[in-house]
Every structure is written in C-alpha cells, then in structure tokens.
Amino acid sequence: MKGQLQNKILDMRERLQDWWTDGGVVRSAVLLGLVVYLLVCIVLGFLWSSEPDMFPVRERAMQRAEAMGVEPVVGFTTTATLMEVTATLLNKQGGYLSNDVFPPGLWLDNIPNWEYGVLIQVRDFTRALRKDFSRSQSQSTEDKDLSVAEPQLHFDNNSWAVPSSEAEYERGLKALDNYLHRLADPKEPTAQFYARADNLRQWLFDVETRLGSLSQRLSASVGKRRLNTDLAGDSAASQSTPADYDQEVKTPWTQLDDVFYEARGTAWALSHILRAIEVDFRDVLDKKNALVSLRQIIRELEATQEPLWAPMILNGSGFGLFANHSLVMASYISRANAAILDLRELLSQG
C-alpha cells in the first residue's frame, strides 16, 4: 500500500515536470500573471493602508438634514456622526479589510486594527444610545430601531461570508438611519434623545475604561514592573484566582503596531463623537462650565492623528536614542483619559 502511494506521487511529479518543461508558453503566461498580480496587490496594499481623514461633524450633519428635508433636533448631530463614522469604516479606501481572505487585505494588519478601534467605539456608543440616551428612565421602553442596531453592530468583525461582517453592519446602519428619521420627525414622539448630564456621564465612564486599558497596553511597550493594585481600597475584597504581588507587564513586540493602530482608530472615532456631543449637549456643558474641558479632550485625541513619518512603529527604550511611538501615543491617551475623569466630576456637580 505504501509503495503504491509512493509510485502515484512520483508519477504525478513526473507529469508536472513534463508539463512544466513542454509548456513554455503556458509557463511564461502563468509566471507573468503571478508577477502582475503580486505587483497590483503591493500597490493596492500601500493605497489601502492610508487612514481616512477627519471630517467636519457639524457640516456633515447639516448636509444630512438638508438631504432629509428636516431641521436638526437634539441628538441629530450625534446620531448622524455615529452613522458617518460607521459608514467611513465600511466604505473607506479599500473597504472593510478585517475579514479579507485574499491579498492584499490578507497581508495588511495596521488598518484592520485601526478598524477594530473604530468599531469598539461605534459599538459602545450604540449601546449607550440604546440603553441611556434614548430612554427617559430605567422603566421606559427601549427604541425599536436601536434594539436592532446594537446587536447588528456587535456581530463578529472577522466573518467573511454567510453572513459577512459588512452585511450585518449595513443592517445596523440602516436601523440607525430609521431611528434618525423618526427622531427628526415632529410627528413621531416614540423616538427620543435625552441630552442629560447623567446619560453623558455614564457613557464617559465606558470611554474612560477603554482609554485606560489602551494606555496601559501602549505604555507596556518597553516593559515595566507593576504592583498588584487590583484589590486596593477595599479590605474585604477578593478575587477568583490569586495573582502575584509584583508583576512584569510587557506588550509582545509582535503586537506593538496592532495596539498602536487600535489606539489611532479609537481616538479617531472618539474625537468625532465628542465634537457631536459638543453640539447636542451644549446647554448641559455650559451650565456645568465644562465646555472647555470637553474641547481639551478633543484636542488631545486629535493630536494622536498626526502623520506618522517612520516606515514602522519604533519601540525605542523610554529614554533611549530612538523614538518609542507607543509611549507618545500613551501620553496623549492618558491625558485624554484624565481629562474625561475631570469632565465626569464636573457633570456630577449640581
């Protein structure tokens, strides 16, 4: 049996060698086609690796309102911006790349991580829109369209087909569009957006935890010793499994660019959403004298979008000769995180 199998393999090898030797024209055509395909993939890879530019939030919302033939109401700018961010994620240059199974999308990892950072913020805000911003109190009924949009946007981000991630996210985007039309319709009282300080504080708390995690992962690019503070502040606290008192935290070098671009995507999405928050929560922020605090957060986040001139994410030591891009990003993220904490405190005051 084993000898027969070996003979079949040898026979197939000989046939392949004969075809390769005799089919000179076919061989040349195959090689030429492969070279052209690889060159096209390389060019497309460079083009698709560029991140989308920032867009003017207020102007895009006004354009959408004019196209709908309505006047912007409270929550219109924020919802329209969420939709614009989601649409950019799906329709940017190269489209949605995280679930690609063919080159060049298969080879790229920076933009898919950027997409993941954007997607996390879209998911978080859609959830906040469903459970907080669109509801007057805990006993109120959730919005019918937002109850569809949230699970659709939480679909697996790596599904290639049956169904694809893009198809599911498009359904979520359609549900958001339905909510926006109902929100802008004065004859439709079932769709609401409540611009209240407590709703905003709740969402900002989620943002704070997201940025805190990113800051830790970015700053761990050079490795550091960390004392275990998981149970600090509560003498009766406990945890499921014990952990070392002194731990070394270090992001693997293979994941440095992944975390960096995830942070870029997160900051890109957040800066747009916060600019929309500035429009819809203007009265609340003015009353709390918190408008300048919000603008400082936006400024820190927008600073993360400066062009990257190095051909790769450098990981020099903290005070070494070469740059450490992760530490620079961590600095901006940490300052934005601290400013969000201050903003939440301002919003909690009477």
Side-chain angles (χ1 to χ4, degrees), residues 92 95-100 105 111-113 115-116 157-159:
K92 66 183 185 327
Y96 184 75
L97 302 179
S98 295
N99 60 347
D100 282 10
I111 291 299
N113 281 286
E115 291 174 344
Y116 185 71
N157 67 310
N158 289 319
S159 179

Side-chain angles (χ1 to χ4, degrees), residues 109-110 112-114 116-117 214 217-218 251-264 313:
D109 66 338
N110 291 341
N113 281 286
W114 182 92
Y116 185 71
L214 277 174
R217 292 162 63 198
L218 287 164
T251 300
W253 69 271
T254 55
Q255 299 177 15
L256 292 174
D257 59 336
D258 298 345
V259 179
F260 180 88
Y261 278 96
E262 181 184 339
R264 292 261 290 198
I313 304 303

Side-chain angles (χ1 to χ4, degrees), residues 284-319:
V284 173
L285 295 168
D286 280 338
K287 181 181 178 181
K288 304 288 185 178
N289 199 24
L291 189 58
V292 67
S293 298
L294 177 68
R295 288 174 175 171
Q296 182 59 35
I297 297 170
I298 295 171
R299 178 167 295 188
E300 298 291 353
L301 292 173
E302 289 181 344
T304 66
Q305 304 302 302
E306 292 293 325
L308 181 68
W309 298 109
M312 65 183 68
I313 304 303
L314 299 180
N315 189 41
S317 58
F319 295 100

Side-chain angles (χ1 to χ4, degrees), residues 203-272:
W203 172 67
L204 287 174
F205 179 77
D206 293 337
V207 174
E208 187 181 327
T209 57
R210 293 290 189 189
L211 294 185
S213 175
L214 277 174
S215 176
Q216 287 292 327
R217 292 162 63 198
L218 287 164
S219 61
S221 61
V222 294
K224 60 180 180 178
R225 303 297 301 182
R226 176 182 177 271
L227 296 178
N228 190 341
T229 59
D230 296 342
L231 302 180
D234 189 349
S235 59
S238 60
Q239 62 188 75
S240 55
T241 54
D244 294 336
Y245 176 73
D246 192 356
Q247 304 170 336
E248 182 175 2
V249 181
K250 184 175 177 61
T251 300
W253 69 271
T254 55
Q255 299 177 15
L256 292 174
D257 59 336
D258 298 345
V259 179
F260 180 88
Y261 278 96
E262 181 184 339
R264 292 261 290 198
T266 295
W268 183 89
L270 264 180
S271 61
H272 289 95

